[in-house]
Structure formats: C-alpha cells, structure tokens
Amino acid sequence: MTETGTDNKPNKRKRPCLIAIGVFLFLILLVFIICLILALTVFKAKQPRTSVVSASVDGVAQRLSFPAVKIELNITVDLVILIENRNHASFKHGTGKSLLLYRGAQVGDADLYPGDIPARANSTLPARLTMQAHRLASKMSNLVTDALSGEFVIETKSSIPGRITFLGFIKKHAVAESECQLTIGFPNLKVKSQVCKSKTKL
C-alpha cells in the first residue's frame, strides 16, 4: 500500500504542470487569433483616397495673330488636392509631384509639400502649375488649332508617396495618385469642364 501511494505522487505533480502548459498554449492561441482579427479588420491597410476638390486657371491669352497664326499663353493652373486617410493609423507622406500635360507632353510641374495625416482624418494640398512656353514649342500647331476651335484640353497628374504606420512599427507603403482632364475655354481661359479620377498603389 505504501509503494502505491509513492507511485501516485509523480502523477499528481505532473497534472498541475500539464494544466499550466495547456493554459499557456491556449493564451498564445487566443492572442494569435486576436492579432489576426485585428490585422484583417482594424489594422488592415486601406487605400488613402485623393481627389481634386477645385481647379482654376489664372492668366491671359496674350496674343492670337494673323495672317501668320501665332498664339502666346501665360497661364497657371491652381489645384487643391484632398487626401482622405481612411486608416486607424497615421499616413505620413513625403514630397509629392504634380505634372501639367498638353497632348501628352509635359509643359509644367510642381512639388507637393510633405506632411502627416492623423488616423481617420483629411488634409488638403495646394498645387500651382505654370505652363512653360518653351515646352509648348513642339505642340504649337496643335495649340493654335485648339484655340481657333474655342477651347483646349490640359491634363494634371499628381503622385503622393507615403506610408501607413500601425502601433508605431507596422508599416505599409502607399502611393496616392490622381489625374484630371480640364477643358479650358479660349480666349477667356475659364474651366469649362473637369473630369478627375484617383487610385492608390499599396
């Protein structure tokens, strides 16, 4: 009888250890499941949205001469770009770039200032794009034709690189982009129509 009682003691000692190990493994599994749920919901990176909330043209059509048809333009396009951060984490963006194009040729550009947008917040960035006359030289005949028709079309492309940071160490890179097509009346240089779209690369 004494030997039987002695043999049972190791089993009784093992039982609390096995329970403790089981509880520990359960807690690890529970933490993993919680982290997985958070990663797929709250901490899932959402694309920052960009949109052009306003576009205006400032400048004058200096001359449209005949019989040798020649046109001179001095215009600046002012854009206000809205960035919407839909994440539960901040979106820190670096220096962005806006391009001004006419018939596929780049005729102007401007830098966009870096910044930090808090979680679930919005921010606006101004962009002032001046059309550079020397870059229009190769498209002058097209510009004259468009001006004689009473309007011309220009495009803007903006790119804003940045990263989304969760919990201070989980980082996801993103590039927010927007494109706009503006139809400008001539010679009053008023925006007649505006079509914009945006996308984000994660």
Side-chain angles (χ1 to χ4, degrees):
M1 297 293 293
T2 305
E3 291 179 359
T4 305
T6 304
D7 292 340
N8 288 337
K9 285 183 180 180
N11 293 331
K12 290 181 179 179
R13 290 174 182 172
K14 287 180 181 178
R15 191 175 299 164
C17 291
L18 292 174
I19 292 174
I21 292 172
V23 171
F24 179 71
L25 292 176
F26 173 77
L27 291 175
I28 290 178
L29 180 62
L30 184 62
V31 170
F32 174 77
I33 292 173
I34 292 173
C35 291
L36 182 62
I37 292 172
L38 290 174
L40 294 175
T41 55
V42 177
F43 295 145
K44 183 179 180 180
K46 298 181 179 66
Q47 299 176 345
R49 289 176 177 168
T50 59
S51 58
V52 176
V53 294
S54 71
S56 59
V57 175
D58 180 28
V60 293
Q62 293 179 324
R63 184 170 60 184
L64 179 59
S65 59
F66 296 95
V69 180
K70 183 180 179 181
I71 184 173
E72 292 182 10
L73 287 177
N74 178 20
I75 69 172
T76 299
V77 179
D78 287 310
L79 301 178
V80 177
I81 301 170
L82 174 69
I83 308 174
E84 179 186 356
N85 181 15
R86 303 183 296 147
N87 294 281
H88 293 273
S90 64
F91 174 59
K92 186 175 183 179
H93 60 89
T95 302
K97 196 78 173 180
S98 277
L99 305 178
L100 182 64
L101 301 102
Y102 173 69
R103 290 183 175 263
Q106 183 181 331
V107 295
D109 58 73
D111 289 332
L112 301 173
Y113 295 113
D116 196 346
I117 306 174
R120 311 291 292 180
N122 301 331
S123 181
T124 56
L125 288 175
R128 189 169 176 84
L129 298 158
T130 300
M131 185 176 286
Q132 298 170 3
H134 67 278
R135 292 186 175 183
L136 274 172
S138 62
K139 300 290 182 179
M140 190 55 65
S141 61
N142 299 116
L143 185 59
V144 169
T145 301
D146 289 343
L148 291 174
S149 71
E151 64 183 33
F152 60 95
V153 177
I154 57 176
E155 295 176 275
T156 65
K157 293 184 178 182
S158 301
S159 178
I160 305 167
R163 68 175 181 266
I164 305 160
T165 305
F166 298 99
L167 302 177
F169 66 93
I170 304 173
K171 298 179 181 181
K172 186 75 174 180
H173 291 276
V175 180
E177 299 178 343
S178 65
E179 297 180 4
C180 274
Q181 187 178 79
L182 306 175
T183 301
I184 312 298
F186 186 87
N188 61 4
L189 299 184
K190 301 296 183 183
V191 178
K192 298 175 67 175
S193 68
Q194 170 185 323
V195 179
C196 298
K197 60 182 180 179
S198 63
K199 61 181 179 179
T200 304
K201 298 177 182 178
L202 287 175

